[in-house]
Amino acid sequence: MSMITRRALIAAGAAGGLGYALLPGFSVAAAATDQRFIFIIMRGAADGLSIVAPTGDPDFAAARGGRNVDSTGGARLDPMFTLHPSLVEMGKLYQANEALFVHAVASPYRDRSHFDGQNVLETGGESPYVLKDGWLNRMLALLPVDESRALAIAPAVPMALRGPRPVETYAAGPQPRVTDDLLARVGRMYQGDAELDEVWARAQSTRALAGDLGADAGRNAIALGALAGKLLGAESGPRIAMIETGGWDTHVSQRSRLEGQLKGLDGMIAALRTGLGPAWRRTTVLVATEFGRTVAINGTGGTDHGTASVAMLLGGAVKGGRVIADWPGLKPAALYEGRDLKPTESLHGVIAGAVAGHFGLEPKRVVAGLFPGSPASATEGLARA
């Protein structure tokens, strides 16, 4: 029996996400499809009014108390909307018709609890805790078996991927608590070893899975995007994935926090695209949050929990270069409950439309499979098979 050396173990761990390459039962058989579908969740309720700012709305500046500077220098998407200036790479994707934004969008959830809102977003239910499995796991049942291999890039399998279909995981389950002091001492062991020093640095850069994307100047986010791209871009890799991100709850100092968060997300998407290589042409990435934030800025320079936000579709399979919005306006009388951006687009419909278009499935079947009991209709024309 051969021995696994320290050098082989750490190299395998870094290349495979410190656990993925060592998973029992991981198949290396080539998948039968070239289509990739990736769901990136923004936990914490991301402010869609800053991400894609309605600068063409005459009431926007007043609604934000004159504080609409977040959009200064951002890419002008159309006469109504401007992209946040931190989203430089997404702006390029938009110009290449590989990015599409759906504004004033929301799930059926209308209260403002993170836990309940995320449960509705991930299970696809009409209300919290009605469904016990996730829409992304149910999506696997709509695909041929050889095409339905999924990967959760998260500390544990997220609700959206839980269900009867098997899911591979990165950093699955509770991990032993490792102190920063121990990690620093281990790092010093590898100094001077040209191979191991580089491998250890790569491994360390992917430790923060669901943390703030702005942490470490976005380097963690970029490393995670690169890792995901390589795993999904490999001929033997999975074709479906979910990536967790956190840090979107911007009650205080939103302008600076959101700038870092969006730079991290932008870097992650760019690294994901590079890692996927030619497979990017057959990829759809959905980015969504549980709900939006208030229109008005609060007394600490942040925003509070709201309702409608923005969803993003990115990738070579996306019919991009558009903002889809039945814009409700920002006059006080037009706000939901007098405080929030009013929802006019169904997030369930957007997800169903993206899945149906991307995999060439019948839209009504997708709605029924992903969102049982939902009155939503699939938004068509979002992606191509």
Side-chain angles (χ1 to χ4, degrees):
M1 182 175 68
S2 63
M3 179 183 298
I4 300 177
T5 66
R6 181 189 70 171
R7 181 185 299 271
L9 180 62
I10 187 172
L18 293 177
Y20 180 84
L22 303 177
L23 285 174
F26 172 61
S27 173
V28 296
T33 180
D34 282 332
Q35 300 295 103
R36 273 79 167 175
F37 188 92
I38 303 165
F39 173 36
I40 299 177
I41 188 170
M42 307 161 81
R43 297 195 186 278
D47 181 35
L49 290 172
S50 289
I51 296 171
V52 178
T55 50
D57 187 323
D59 298 301
F60 177 54
R64 282 264 149 134
R67 306 182 194 183
N68 63 333
V69 292
D70 285 351
S71 59
T72 302
R76 193 67 181 265
L77 303 178
D78 62 22
M80 175 62 78
F81 297 106
T82 301
L83 195 61
H84 193 283
S86 292
L87 298 175
V88 175
E89 297 303 320
M90 282 198 203
K92 295 177 183 177
L93 293 178
Y94 186 86
Q95 292 299 319
N97 296 326
E98 294 182 349
L100 182 153
F101 305 97
V102 184
H103 220 318
V105 68
S107 78
Y109 182 68
R110 291 294 179 270
D111 294 318
R112 300 177 179 93
S113 161
H114 289 303
F115 297 110
D116 293 353
Q118 288 174 25
N119 184 268
V120 171
L121 170 59
E122 294 187 75
T123 63
E126 291 297 295
S127 58
Y129 310 109
V130 172
L131 300 177
K132 305 305 180 186
D133 56 356
W135 68 262
L136 197 52
N137 193 283
R138 292 194 295 274
M139 185 188 85
L140 302 179
L142 303 179
L143 305 177
V145 174
D146 288 344
E147 302 180 8
S148 62
R149 293 179 51 226
L151 169 68
I153 303 180
V157 177
M159 186 68 235
L161 268 174
R162 294 182 193 174
R165 296 283 171 154
V167 174
E168 296 160 357
T169 56
Y170 173 101
Q175 300 297 310
R177 177 72 176 97
V178 181
T179 67
D180 290 338
D181 178 65
L182 175 59
L183 291 171
R185 285 188 282 119
V186 172
R188 285 195 293 271
M189 289 171 53
Y190 299 137
Q191 288 178 353
D193 186 314
E195 179 182 347
L196 285 179
D197 191 32
E198 179 183 357
V199 169
W200 180 252
R202 290 201 307 269
Q204 283 295 95
S205 71
T206 62
R207 288 180 64 220
L209 285 179
D212 293 3
L213 290 184
D216 195 25
R219 284 186 284 270
N220 285 337
I222 292 171
L224 182 55
L227 172 69
K230 288 185 181 300
L231 292 175
L232 276 90
E235 184 178 354
S236 60
R239 294 297 184 258
I240 313 297
M242 179 173 174
I243 301 174
E244 284 192 324
T245 71
W248 299 98
D249 197 13
T250 52
H251 287 285
V252 179
S253 303
Q254 174 173 292
R255 183 182 174 189
S256 59
R257 278 192 52 77
L258 202 55
E259 180 182 357
Q261 285 288 108
L262 292 175
K263 281 183 178 177
L265 178 63
D266 199 55
M268 176 190 286
I269 295 297
L272 179 63
R273 181 181 186 274
T274 299
L276 282 166
W280 175 260
R281 296 194 303 271
R282 299 173 296 279
T283 296
T284 292
V285 181
L286 165 70
V287 186
T289 191
E290 66 262 33
F291 47 75
R293 308 196 71 82
T294 51
V295 173
I297 302 293
N298 64 27
T300 58
T303 53
D304 299 318
H305 298 175
T307 307
S309 188
V310 69
M312 299 172 250
L313 290 170
L314 315 161
V318 173
K319 297 180 179 180
R322 299 176 290 155
V323 179
I324 296 176
D326 179 8
W327 190 246
L330 296 175
K331 293 184 183 298
L335 303 183
Y336 180 75
E337 296 186 344
R339 51 174 274 167
D340 301 340
L341 177 63
K342 181 181 179 180
T344 57
E345 301 284 348
S346 165
L347 185 54
H348 285 180
V350 170
I351 295 172
V355 170
H358 186 65
F359 292 105
L361 300 172
E362 203 279 315
K364 289 184 179 179
R365 180 185 172 216
V366 173
V367 172
L370 269 56
F371 308 112
S374 174
S377 298
T379 306
E380 298 192 36
L382 301 180
R384 62 181 66 85

